[in-house]
Amino acid sequence: TYNLKHKSINNFSISTTASIAMLAYVLAIVVGVYQIEAGNLTMGGLIACSILGGRVIAPVSRAIQQSSQWQQVSQSLQLVDNILNIDKERKESCALFELKTPPSSIEIDQVRFFYQQSETAQINIESLNFKAGDRVALLGPIGSGKSTLLKLIAGLYRPSEGNINIGDVNLWEISPQAIAQYISYLPQNVSLFKGTLQENLTLSKKVDEDLFIEIIKLLGIDQIASQSPKNIQLEISEGGEGLSDGQRQLVGLARIFLSKPKIWLLDEPTASIDNESSQKVLQTIDNMVNDEDILIMSTHRPMVVHKLVNRVIVIKQGKIVEDGHPDTIMPKLMPNAPIAKPSNNMELI
């Protein structure tokens, strides 16, 4: 909004100044012609007047441009003040916990969440628990609350009511550093920043080089890099323009794998990629998630992920309607689909 207002004001000032300068020049010529005819002005005087007129208009034009720039600075300062005045998510008086051991459970108790100016609860869960070793698929129609639930567990949204405990500690009493260390969240729309492909993958942190090379090969990111003479130093523009949605999603997945979290929250990890890449992604997830980790993954493609998970949760209108083993839940959802038991050597379809 601010950018649009500034551009509108700037364009108006430039066009107005140019119009006034042209009008003044035309008037000087018209009046000068009659004055020359009357003998009150010479041709040299007319030329001098036109030059002086332009010199007079130039400072006025410059003053308007300076005023426009000051307006932009003023708006930027106002935006910074607005950001600084936003209420902090965690109260300064609250002592935050540093988790000394990796969390092994997630407990959701009486949690309800409302979006602003909405009277309908997007999430309404009485009780839901996850333990170490759970590999969970979140299923449900569009708008059922799958993404919102993941954001609540990731600490991106604060529950309107109820508590979410990571281990034995309330999520909002854990330090952000500890959350970042143990919890990783993959959104549906991955944001990239201006920099190199490597910087976007590692988030400018030091990572294990062997793991880095392994992951970019497993996900096929090395093929993206090979399209540029700069290879892994490929320049990425702000927002990741130039890369497809699927390529940005692969970069987001690589970030998760490099962070090696204990709690994996993946929102539609295969939504924007083709079937061949989906198989690579799911196979990599199967290999990278440790036995004691917690994996929670929302998807609209249950037949693709059912061999990866050991638990299926179905959400409708923010409520849990089904929760159990895939062999029990999947036949209810897809009666005619063949359901095979998960195996250690997963073969994806």
Side-chain angles (χ1 to χ4, degrees):
T1 302
Y2 282 100
N3 285 336
L4 291 175
K5 288 182 178 179
H6 175 261
K7 288 180 180 179
S8 177
I9 293 172
N10 191 44
N11 292 335
F12 176 77
S13 64
I14 292 174
S15 60
T16 301
T17 303
S19 299
I20 293 174
M22 183 59 67
L23 180 62
Y25 180 76
V26 171
L27 288 175
I29 297 298
V30 172
V31 173
V33 167
Y34 284 103
Q35 292 299 317
I36 291 173
E37 184 180 5
N40 298 326
L41 185 67
T42 65
M43 183 66 72
L46 176 59
I47 295 172
C49 288
S50 63
I51 294 174
L52 289 174
R55 296 299 179 93
V56 171
I57 291 293
V60 177
S61 175
R62 185 63 179 171
I64 294 175
Q65 291 178 6
Q66 292 289 345
S67 176
S68 177
Q69 291 176 0
W70 168 248
Q71 177 69 15
Q72 184 180 18
V73 172
S74 176
Q75 290 177 348
S76 298
L77 291 173
Q78 184 179 353
L79 287 173
V80 172
D81 289 338
N82 291 340
I83 292 174
L84 294 176
N85 291 330
I86 294 176
D87 295 334
K88 293 183 178 180
E89 294 179 341
R90 290 167 172 79
K91 298 180 181 179
E92 295 182 356
S93 59
C94 179
L96 301 179
F97 292 94
E98 298 288 344
L99 300 179
K100 295 183 179 180
T101 58
S104 59
S105 64
I106 302 172
E107 297 180 2
I108 299 175
D109 183 35
Q110 303 290 329
V111 167
R112 301 180 75 196
F113 177 79
F114 297 85
Y115 284 107
Q116 290 184 354
Q117 300 179 347
S118 175
E119 298 180 355
T120 304
Q122 184 68 19
I123 291 294
N124 186 2
I125 297 177
E126 296 295 325
S127 178
L128 182 63
N129 299 316
F130 303 96
K131 63 181 185 300
D134 276 352
R135 294 188 176 192
V136 184
L138 292 180
L139 307 181
I142 296 175
S144 60
K146 303 186 298 299
S147 297
T148 304
L149 177 58
L150 291 177
K151 290 177 180 177
L152 287 168
I153 299 174
L156 300 178
Y157 291 169
R158 189 162 193 162
S160 305
E161 300 175 10
N163 296 307
I164 299 177
N165 293 333
I166 304 297
D168 297 325
V169 184
N170 187 290
L171 174 63
W172 290 91
E173 295 178 354
I174 302 174
S175 70
Q177 293 79 10
I179 293 176
Q181 179 182 359
Y182 293 117
I183 301 177
S184 288
Y185 167 71
L186 175 73
Q188 290 188 24
N189 299 315
V190 177
S191 297
L192 304 185
F193 55 86
K194 183 177 177 57
T196 65
L197 177 58
Q198 182 176 4
E199 290 170 343
N200 273 274
L201 289 167
T202 63
L203 298 178
S204 300
K205 297 185 296 185
K206 187 177 181 180
V207 298
D208 182 87
E209 292 184 0
D210 293 336
L211 178 62
F212 178 80
I213 294 173
E214 178 186 2
I215 288 174
I216 64 173
K217 286 184 177 180
L218 287 172
L219 294 178
I221 297 177
D222 57 334
Q223 298 178 10
I224 301 175
S226 65
Q227 298 174 4
S228 168
K230 295 184 178 181
N231 207 283
I232 200 65
Q233 299 302 322
L234 167 68
E235 291 290 338
I236 303 295
S237 61
E238 189 67 32
E241 292 184 8
L243 297 181
S244 67
D245 291 342
Q247 289 173 327
R248 289 198 291 269
Q249 194 165 42
L250 291 177
V251 172
L253 283 163
R255 290 173 177 175
I256 304 290
F257 295 144
L258 289 170
S259 65
K260 296 186 292 186
K262 294 299 178 183
I263 298 176
W264 303 60
L265 306 174
L266 309 181
D267 194 356
E268 297 283 354
T270 61
S272 301
I273 53 182
D274 55 58
N275 290 332
E276 182 179 353
S277 297
S278 296
Q279 294 180 17
K280 291 181 180 179
V281 166
L282 294 177
Q283 186 65 61
T284 305
I285 292 174
D286 188 45
N287 295 335
M288 297 295 296
V289 176
N290 296 323
D291 293 339
E292 65 275 11
D293 294 347
I294 299 175
L295 169 66
I296 307 175
M297 175 171 51
S298 70
T299 181
H300 288 291
R301 304 166 68 182
M303 289 304 299
V304 175
V305 304
H306 80 276
K307 294 183 181 180
L308 176 63
V309 301
N310 55 25
R311 183 179 175 187
V312 173
I313 294 177
V314 182
I315 301 178
K316 290 184 179 180
Q317 298 180 346
K319 298 181 179 180
I320 307 298
V321 296
E322 296 285 354
D323 184 357
H325 194 275
D327 289 348
T328 303
I329 304 300
M330 294 298 290
K332 298 179 182 179
L333 301 177
M334 308 177 72
N336 299 324
I339 304 299
K341 294 182 178 181
S343 61
N344 294 329
N345 297 325
M346 184 183 64
E347 295 181 1
L348 302 173
I349 61 173

